[in-house]
Amino acid sequence: MFILAIDTSCDDTCISIIKIKNQKSSLAIARRDERREQSSLRLAKSKNTNFEILSNVVSSQIKIHAKYGGIVPYLAKREHERNLPIILNKSLRKAGFINSKSKIRNSKQIPNSKFKIQNINLIAVTVGPGLEPCLWQGVNFAKKLAEDFKKSIVPVNHLEAHLLANWLTPINSNTKLFPAVGLIVSGGHTELILIKDIGKYKLLGETRDDAAGECLDKIARILGLGYPGGPSIAQQAEQWKVKILNPKFQINSKSKINLPRPMINQKNYDFSFSGLKTAVLYEFKNRNLELGKQKNYIQEICYEVQQAVIDVLISKTIRAAREYKVKTIMLGGGVAANKELRKQFNLQLKINNLQINFFVPPSKFCTDNAAMVGVAGYFGWLEGKQKSPKKLEANANLQI
Ligand code: KG4
Ligand code: ZN
């Protein structure tokens, strides 16, 4: 089975083609389990499926939005419109579905090319949450393809897809996965989710203001660093870490700049990151440093910012994992690409002697991509979530 997946929820135009590898055996096991025990149906499906990524094209708009320090929705929409046919062409070609010479500029031209869309069994598309004008670009494009080529279409929740990105790498079928706690940390969301099974989610807590990634992006802007903020703050923080570890620099390992860890001690699973951003704003302004003397300071404050975010995320997630006695912690979303976050999560689980599986997708599947949408589309299809293209709508505020 082949799935063509599309995501235009934010500023990346993403199209991927994935192949479901051992679908027959997984369905057979699922049916057997269904007869035996209804509740294990989804579990059987999830464990025995392997996904092969034939293509995963992400067209980034970073250069366009960088000069504004954040995403400009109408520019993002315009770029998606322009890019979608080009990215479709690229994705099909990479997957070996069209020969290298044929070009597709829009879906009307497709029947005349040597295009083998007949081999695609299903179209999956992100319908929300995200930036409304951007979401509609992907949804309308998917609708047109589905109508022209009489394909089924499955709507996908972008947040669920971020969690299901963990299935893009094979999962040992003997591993007990659920219940699990999922931490989604992206540019638009910070949510802790109790996962009872694939498709069965309960929101435990979320940010009351800025998302973790949004906070990093805004702080990077205050400090005059590049967009997106997460990777540029991580890069500065790494340089400071090297200095801390190097005796030559004689730096006290405990950072001199102290920033708040908002809501870390509150007995709920909500987050708040806007206070951290404000603290950085005042700290930076009050120092009033000359331009030439800022290098060390920027590295140090980035180190502290990153650590503040990591401390809050890990502390709340581990507390939820303990309370709900979960078997697995899984991360998803752009901030989960952060190396220190990944390292320190592993370390804290070890230090606390917690026998919990820790899953985080490879970095390129943490940030926005359509391969994860393909996985979510597949599980959605198994549950009968396909929709008539006419009824498909974008929903910017879709919840998990
Ligand atoms: O999931 P994503 O690609 O898009 C959304 O759905 O929002 O997440 C983008 C966010 C941005 O805020 C970006 O700064 C952050 O993820 N990010 C990172 C890293 N890579 C991307 N944050 C920390 N460390 C990184 N390595
Ligand atoms: Zn995302």
Side-chain angles (χ1 to χ4, degrees):
M1 178 177 187
F2 296 99
I3 301 180
L4 176 90
I6 302 169
D7 187 289
T8 57
S9 58
C10 199
D11 61 336
D12 293 315
T13 315
C14 316
I15 299 188
S16 168
I17 295 165
I18 63 167
K19 183 179 174 188
I20 318 304
K21 273 162 76 181
N22 44 349
Q23 188 201 354
K24 272 192 189 137
S25 62
S26 96
L27 283 180
I29 293 166
R31 281 196 198 102
R32 187 199 65 200
D33 280 15
E34 186 178 22
R35 281 196 296 274
R36 225 171 32 198
E37 190 188 352
Q38 181 65 33
S39 63
S40 61
L41 171 65
R42 289 193 195 90
L43 189 60
K45 284 171 191 163
S46 67
K47 273 186 163 180
N48 296 286
T49 309
N50 273 325
F51 299 95
E52 185 181 344
I53 300 159
L54 302 183
S55 63
N56 183 38
V57 183
V58 178
S59 166
S60 164
Q61 301 177 8
I62 283 178
K63 278 190 190 147
I64 293 165
H65 301 287
K67 51 180 173 280
Y68 303 99
I71 299 153
V72 185
Y74 89 90
L75 287 180
K77 173 193 172 242
R78 191 192 68 187
E79 286 305 299
H80 284 312
E81 192 170 14
R82 205 175 61 85
N83 281 334
L84 274 164
I86 301 167
I87 300 305
L88 174 65
N89 187 42
K90 215 169 167 181
S91 195
L92 289 164
R93 189 173 293 170
K94 278 202 166 166
F97 277 63
I98 49 173
N99 79 19
S100 56
K101 284 191 186 115
S102 47
K103 276 214 156 55
I104 301 166
R105 287 276 164 233
N106 59 55
S107 64
K108 279 193 195 126
Q109 290 176 4
I110 292 170
N112 304 327
S113 71
K114 292 190 177 170
F115 177 57
K116 293 183 188 152
I117 202 168
Q118 302 320 332
N119 291 335
I120 300 278
N121 305 90
L122 185 69
I123 296 173
V125 62
T126 296
V127 294
L131 299 170
E132 178 126 10
C134 298
L135 287 165
W136 273 110
Q137 289 302 317
V139 168
N140 286 333
F141 191 74
K143 274 183 174 188
K144 179 101 182 68
L145 284 176
E147 279 170 351
D148 286 359
F149 299 101
K150 311 222 167 344
K151 299 292 167 190
S152 296
I153 194 160
V154 176
V156 167
N157 180 315
H158 183 81
L159 297 178
E160 182 180 18
H162 268 308
L163 286 178
L164 297 181
N166 284 293
W167 271 258
L168 283 167
T169 36
I171 292 176
N172 182 338
S173 60
N174 295 320
T175 312
K176 240 185 159 321
L177 298 177
F178 303 112
V181 70
L183 173 69
I184 302 168
V185 265
S186 68
H189 295 84
T190 303
E191 296 191 357
L192 261 177
I193 314 273
L194 180 65
I195 311 170
K196 292 176 198 152
D197 203 338
I198 288 185
K200 287 173 109 182
Y201 309 107
K202 185 182 165 205
L203 181 68
L204 298 178
E206 63 188 324
T207 184
R208 294 186 182 173
D209 39 59
D210 292 352
E214 185 182 3
C215 164
L216 294 171
D217 293 339
K218 287 178 175 169
I219 288 176
R221 198 173 170 182
I222 293 170
L223 300 175
L225 301 171
Y227 172 83
S232 42
I233 287 178
Q235 201 187 6
Q236 296 288 327
E238 185 58 30
Q239 288 172 23
W240 190 246
K241 194 178 159 191
V242 170
K243 287 182 183 168
I244 290 174
L245 297 175
N246 187 343
K248 199 179 97 191
F249 286 93
Q250 296 188 332
I251 290 165
N252 202 333
S253 68
K254 195 155 170 36
S255 172
K256 291 194 292 305
I257 301 171
N258 287 314
L259 294 173
R261 269 71 174 152
M263 296 183 74
I264 196 165
N265 293 319
Q266 289 193 19
K267 301 267 169 271
N268 56 40
Y269 296 115
D270 282 348
F271 302 89
S272 165
F273 290 104
S274 79
L276 178 61
K277 171 197 66 194
T278 312
V280 170
L281 182 68
Y282 286 121
E283 159 61 42
F284 184 56
K285 273 194 173 166
N286 289 342
R287 297 263 170 167
N288 208 7
L289 289 173
E290 288 167 39
L291 270 177
K293 292 191 179 156
Q294 284 183 359
K295 197 171 150 206
N296 272 341
Y297 173 77
I298 297 282
Q299 289 173 0
E300 183 182 356
I301 197 165
C302 284
Y303 179 85
E304 176 66 5
V305 163
Q306 181 173 271
Q307 197 54 50
V309 172
I310 290 174
D311 286 346
V312 176
L313 294 177
I314 294 184
S315 154
K316 294 235 164 186
T317 309
I318 289 190
R319 198 152 54 71
R322 278 195 162 118
E323 182 180 338
Y324 292 93
K325 298 187 175 50
V326 303
K327 303 270 184 295
T328 309
I329 289 176
M330 49 180 83
L331 309 191
V335 180
N338 187 278
K339 277 196 200 131
E340 274 302 316
L341 177 70
R342 301 156 81 100
K343 210 156 81 187
Q344 293 186 31
F345 244 118
N346 267 312
L347 192 69
Q348 285 305 320
L349 289 174
K350 254 192 211 134
I351 289 173
N352 288 290
N353 205 13
L354 292 166
Q355 307 295 319
I356 297 176
N357 309 307
F358 177 62
F359 290 174
V360 55
S363 293
K364 68 173 174 182
F365 299 130
C366 288
T367 47
D368 285 350
N369 67 87
M372 67 183 193
V373 175
V375 175
Y378 175 67
F379 288 128
W381 174 77
L382 286 176
E383 301 198 358
K385 287 188 180 163
Q386 39 278 52
K387 255 195 163 171
S388 145
K390 284 193 181 64
K391 289 193 177 149
L392 206 69
E393 284 193 345
N395 178 358
N397 301 314
L398 192 65
Q399 311 260 324
I400 196 163

